[in-house]
Short mmCIF file of all heavy atoms in Angstrom, two decimals:
data_model
loop_
_atom_site.label_atom_id
_atom_site.label_comp_id
_atom_site.label_asym_id
_atom_site.label_seq_id
_atom_site.Cartn_x
_atom_site.Cartn_y
_atom_site.Cartn_z
N PRO L 551 -0.34 28.47 9.92
CA PRO L 551 -1.29 28.56 8.79
C PRO L 551 -0.79 29.41 7.62
O PRO L 551 -1.11 29.13 6.47
CB PRO L 551 -2.53 29.17 9.43
CG PRO L 551 -2.44 28.77 10.86
CD PRO L 551 -0.98 28.80 11.19
N TYR L 591 -0.51 24.05 15.37
CA TYR L 591 -0.95 25.46 15.35
C TYR L 591 -2.47 25.50 15.24
O TYR L 591 -3.09 24.67 14.55
CB TYR L 591 -0.37 26.19 14.13
CG TYR L 591 1.03 26.70 14.31
CD1 TYR L 591 2.13 25.91 13.96
CD2 TYR L 591 1.27 27.97 14.82
CE1 TYR L 591 3.43 26.37 14.10
CE2 TYR L 591 2.56 28.45 14.96
CZ TYR L 591 3.63 27.65 14.61
OH TYR L 591 4.92 28.11 14.75
N SER L 592 -3.08 26.48 15.90
CA SER L 592 -4.50 26.74 15.70
C SER L 592 -4.70 27.26 14.29
O SER L 592 -3.77 27.80 13.67
CB SER L 592 -5.00 27.76 16.72
OG SER L 592 -4.40 29.03 16.49
N PRO L 593 -5.91 27.10 13.71
CA PRO L 593 -6.15 27.57 12.33
C PRO L 593 -5.88 29.06 12.15
O PRO L 593 -5.51 29.49 11.06
CB PRO L 593 -7.64 27.25 12.12
CG PRO L 593 -7.92 26.14 13.05
CD PRO L 593 -7.07 26.38 14.25
N GLN L 594 -6.04 29.84 13.22
CA GLN L 594 -5.77 31.28 13.13
C GLN L 594 -4.28 31.59 13.27
O GLN L 594 -3.84 32.71 12.98
CB GLN L 594 -6.54 32.02 14.22
CG GLN L 594 -8.07 31.91 14.11
CD GLN L 594 -8.60 30.57 14.59
OE1 GLN L 594 -7.94 29.87 15.38
NE2 GLN L 594 -9.79 30.19 14.14
N GLY L 595 -3.51 30.62 13.74
CA GLY L 595 -2.07 30.79 13.89
C GLY L 595 -1.65 31.54 15.14
O GLY L 595 -0.45 31.79 15.34
N ASP L 596 -2.59 31.87 16.02
CA ASP L 596 -2.26 32.64 17.22
C ASP L 596 -1.94 31.77 18.42
O ASP L 596 -1.51 32.27 19.45
CB ASP L 596 -3.41 33.59 17.56
CG ASP L 596 -4.72 32.86 17.83
OD1 ASP L 596 -4.86 31.69 17.40
OD2 ASP L 596 -5.61 33.45 18.46
N GLN L 597 -2.14 30.46 18.29
CA GLN L 597 -1.92 29.56 19.43
C GLN L 597 -1.21 28.30 18.96
O GLN L 597 -1.38 27.83 17.84
CB GLN L 597 -3.28 29.18 20.06
CG GLN L 597 -3.17 28.49 21.41
CD GLN L 597 -4.55 28.23 22.00
OE1 GLN L 597 -5.28 27.36 21.55
NE2 GLN L 597 -4.91 29.01 23.03
N THR L 632 -3.94 17.86 17.72
CA THR L 632 -4.33 18.58 16.51
C THR L 632 -5.57 19.42 16.78
O THR L 632 -6.37 19.09 17.65
CB THR L 632 -4.60 17.59 15.35
OG1 THR L 632 -4.83 18.32 14.15
CG2 THR L 632 -5.81 16.73 15.64
N TYR L 633 -5.70 20.52 16.05
CA TYR L 633 -6.86 21.40 16.15
C TYR L 633 -7.91 21.00 15.11
O TYR L 633 -7.56 20.54 14.01
CB TYR L 633 -6.47 22.86 15.90
CG TYR L 633 -5.79 23.55 17.04
CD1 TYR L 633 -4.41 23.47 17.19
CD2 TYR L 633 -6.51 24.30 17.96
CE1 TYR L 633 -3.76 24.12 18.23
CE2 TYR L 633 -5.87 24.96 19.01
CZ TYR L 633 -4.51 24.87 19.14
OH TYR L 633 -3.87 25.51 20.18
N SER L 634 -9.19 21.23 15.43
CA SER L 634 -10.26 21.08 14.45
C SER L 634 -10.16 22.24 13.45
O SER L 634 -9.54 23.27 13.74
CB SER L 634 -11.62 21.09 15.14
OG SER L 634 -11.85 22.33 15.79
N PRO L 635 -10.73 22.08 12.26
CA PRO L 635 -10.62 23.13 11.25
C PRO L 635 -11.12 24.50 11.71
O PRO L 635 -10.60 25.53 11.26
CB PRO L 635 -11.48 22.60 10.09
CG PRO L 635 -11.42 21.12 10.24
CD PRO L 635 -11.38 20.88 11.71
N ASP L 636 -12.11 24.55 12.61
CA ASP L 636 -12.60 25.85 13.09
C ASP L 636 -11.88 26.35 14.33
O ASP L 636 -12.15 27.43 14.83
CB ASP L 636 -14.11 25.79 13.35
CG ASP L 636 -14.49 24.82 14.47
OD1 ASP L 636 -13.57 24.22 15.09
OD2 ASP L 636 -15.69 24.67 14.74
N GLY L 637 -10.94 25.52 14.84
CA GLY L 637 -10.15 25.91 16.01
C GLY L 637 -10.86 25.77 17.33
O GLY L 637 -10.28 26.09 18.38
N GLY L 638 -12.08 25.25 17.34
CA GLY L 638 -12.83 25.15 18.59
C GLY L 638 -12.52 23.92 19.40
O GLY L 638 -12.76 23.89 20.62
N LEU L 639 -11.96 22.88 18.75
CA LEU L 639 -11.67 21.63 19.44
C LEU L 639 -10.20 21.25 19.29
O LEU L 639 -9.55 21.60 18.30
CB LEU L 639 -12.52 20.49 18.88
CG LEU L 639 -14.02 20.48 19.15
CD1 LEU L 639 -14.67 19.32 18.40
CD2 LEU L 639 -14.32 20.37 20.64
N LEU L 640 -9.71 20.51 20.26
CA LEU L 640 -8.42 19.83 20.18
C LEU L 640 -8.68 18.33 20.27
O LEU L 640 -9.53 17.90 21.07
CB LEU L 640 -7.51 20.23 21.32
CG LEU L 640 -6.59 21.44 21.18
CD1 LEU L 640 -5.83 21.65 22.48
CD2 LEU L 640 -5.60 21.26 20.04
N ALA L 641 -7.97 17.56 19.50
CA ALA L 641 -7.99 16.10 19.64
C ALA L 641 -6.60 15.64 20.04
O ALA L 641 -5.60 16.12 19.49
CB ALA L 641 -8.41 15.44 18.34
N LEU L 651 -11.27 14.55 23.10
CA LEU L 651 -11.67 15.79 22.43
C LEU L 651 -11.84 16.87 23.49
O LEU L 651 -12.56 16.67 24.48
CB LEU L 651 -12.97 15.59 21.65
CG LEU L 651 -12.96 14.50 20.56
CD1 LEU L 651 -14.32 14.42 19.89
CD2 LEU L 651 -11.88 14.76 19.53
N TRP L 652 -11.19 18.02 23.28
CA TRP L 652 -11.17 19.09 24.27
C TRP L 652 -11.77 20.38 23.69
O TRP L 652 -11.58 20.68 22.51
CB TRP L 652 -9.73 19.41 24.71
CG TRP L 652 -8.91 18.24 25.12
CD1 TRP L 652 -8.26 17.36 24.30
CD2 TRP L 652 -8.61 17.82 26.46
NE1 TRP L 652 -7.57 16.43 25.03
CE2 TRP L 652 -7.77 16.68 26.37
CE3 TRP L 652 -8.95 18.30 27.73
CZ2 TRP L 652 -7.28 16.01 27.48
CZ3 TRP L 652 -8.47 17.64 28.84
CH2 TRP L 652 -7.65 16.51 28.73
N SER L 653 -12.45 21.14 24.53
CA SER L 653 -12.88 22.48 24.16
C SER L 653 -11.71 23.44 24.39
O SER L 653 -11.16 23.52 25.50
CB SER L 653 -14.07 22.92 25.02
OG SER L 653 -14.30 24.31 24.87
N VAL L 654 -11.30 24.14 23.32
CA VAL L 654 -10.16 25.06 23.43
C VAL L 654 -10.50 26.24 24.34
O VAL L 654 -9.67 26.68 25.15
CB VAL L 654 -9.73 25.55 22.03
CG1 VAL L 654 -8.65 26.62 22.15
CG2 VAL L 654 -9.22 24.38 21.19
N THR L 655 -11.71 26.75 24.22
CA THR L 655 -12.11 27.93 25.01
C THR L 655 -12.26 27.59 26.49
O THR L 655 -11.70 28.26 27.36
CB THR L 655 -13.45 28.49 24.49
OG1 THR L 655 -13.33 28.77 23.10
CG2 THR L 655 -13.82 29.77 25.22
N ALA L 656 -13.02 26.51 26.78
CA ALA L 656 -13.27 26.14 28.17
C ALA L 656 -12.12 25.34 28.78
O ALA L 656 -12.03 25.22 30.00
CB ALA L 656 -14.56 25.34 28.26
N ASN L 660 -14.36 17.16 26.35
CA ASN L 660 -15.75 16.94 25.92
C ASN L 660 -16.08 15.45 25.75
O ASN L 660 -17.17 15.02 26.07
CB ASN L 660 -16.03 17.65 24.60
CG ASN L 660 -16.03 19.16 24.74
OD1 ASN L 660 -15.98 19.69 25.85
ND2 ASN L 660 -16.08 19.87 23.63
N VAL L 674 -6.20 13.01 13.53
CA VAL L 674 -6.43 14.12 12.60
C VAL L 674 -7.93 14.36 12.45
O VAL L 674 -8.73 13.43 12.53
CB VAL L 674 -5.81 13.87 11.21
CG1 VAL L 674 -4.30 13.88 11.28
CG2 VAL L 674 -6.31 12.56 10.61
N PHE L 675 -8.31 15.61 12.23
CA PHE L 675 -9.69 15.97 11.93
C PHE L 675 -9.92 15.93 10.42
O PHE L 675 -9.04 16.29 9.64
CB PHE L 675 -10.03 17.37 12.44
CG PHE L 675 -10.27 17.46 13.92
CD1 PHE L 675 -9.26 17.86 14.78
CD2 PHE L 675 -11.52 17.14 14.45
CE1 PHE L 675 -9.47 17.95 16.15
CE2 PHE L 675 -11.75 17.24 15.81
CZ PHE L 675 -10.73 17.64 16.67
N SER L 676 -11.13 15.53 10.02
CA SER L 676 -11.52 15.61 8.62
C SER L 676 -11.77 17.07 8.25
O SER L 676 -12.30 17.84 9.05
CB SER L 676 -12.79 14.79 8.39
OG SER L 676 -13.37 15.10 7.15
N PRO L 677 -11.43 17.47 7.02
CA PRO L 677 -11.76 18.83 6.56
C PRO L 677 -13.26 19.10 6.59
O PRO L 677 -13.68 20.26 6.64
CB PRO L 677 -11.22 18.87 5.12
CG PRO L 677 -10.18 17.80 5.08
CD PRO L 677 -10.66 16.73 6.01
N ARG L 678 -14.06 18.03 6.55
CA ARG L 678 -15.51 18.19 6.58
C ARG L 678 -16.03 18.47 7.99
O ARG L 678 -17.21 18.77 8.18
CB ARG L 678 -16.17 16.93 6.03
CG ARG L 678 -15.80 16.63 4.58
CD ARG L 678 -16.30 15.26 4.16
NE ARG L 678 -15.95 14.97 2.77
CZ ARG L 678 -16.18 13.80 2.18
NH1 ARG L 678 -16.76 12.83 2.85
NH2 ARG L 678 -15.83 13.61 0.92
N GLU L 679 -15.16 18.31 9.00
CA GLU L 679 -15.44 18.64 10.40
C GLU L 679 -16.46 17.73 11.07
O GLU L 679 -16.92 18.02 12.17
CB GLU L 679 -15.89 20.10 10.53
CG GLU L 679 -14.87 21.09 9.99
CD GLU L 679 -15.23 22.53 10.33
OE1 GLU L 679 -15.71 22.78 11.43
OE2 GLU L 679 -15.00 23.41 9.48
N ASP L 680 -16.82 16.60 10.43
CA ASP L 680 -17.77 15.68 11.07
C ASP L 680 -17.11 14.44 11.62
O ASP L 680 -17.73 13.64 12.32
CB ASP L 680 -18.85 15.27 10.07
CG ASP L 680 -18.27 14.57 8.83
OD1 ASP L 680 -17.06 14.75 8.56
OD2 ASP L 680 -19.02 13.86 8.14
N GLN L 681 -15.81 14.26 11.31
CA GLN L 681 -15.10 13.06 11.72
C GLN L 681 -13.68 13.40 12.17
O GLN L 681 -13.12 14.44 11.80
CB GLN L 681 -14.98 12.07 10.55
CG GLN L 681 -16.22 11.27 10.23
CD GLN L 681 -15.94 10.26 9.11
OE1 GLN L 681 -15.03 10.45 8.31
NE2 GLN L 681 -16.70 9.19 9.09
N CYS L 682 -13.12 12.49 12.96
CA CYS L 682 -11.69 12.50 13.17
C CYS L 682 -11.20 11.06 13.00
O CYS L 682 -11.99 10.11 13.07
CB CYS L 682 -11.29 13.06 14.53
SG CYS L 682 -11.69 12.03 15.96
N LEU L 696 -17.81 12.71 15.30
CA LEU L 696 -17.59 13.72 16.34
C LEU L 696 -18.86 14.00 17.14
O LEU L 696 -18.78 14.33 18.34
CB LEU L 696 -17.07 15.01 15.72
CG LEU L 696 -15.67 14.95 15.09
CD1 LEU L 696 -15.29 16.31 14.55
CD2 LEU L 696 -14.64 14.46 16.09
N ALA L 697 -20.02 13.88 16.51
CA ALA L 697 -21.26 14.19 17.21
C ALA L 697 -21.62 13.14 18.25
O ALA L 697 -22.08 13.46 19.35
CB ALA L 697 -22.41 14.33 16.20
#
Side-chain angles (χ1 to χ4, degrees):
Y591 277 91
S592 66
Q594 297 77 22
D596 60 340
Q597 192 177 73
T632 186
Y633 283 88
S634 63
D636 64 2
L639 290 175
L640 271 178
L651 301 179
W652 310 80
S653 167
V654 173
T655 305
N660 291 351
V674 292
F675 282 97
S676 165
R678 299 171 180 175
E679 302 189 38
D680 59 339
Q681 283 184 335
C682 71
L696 294 181

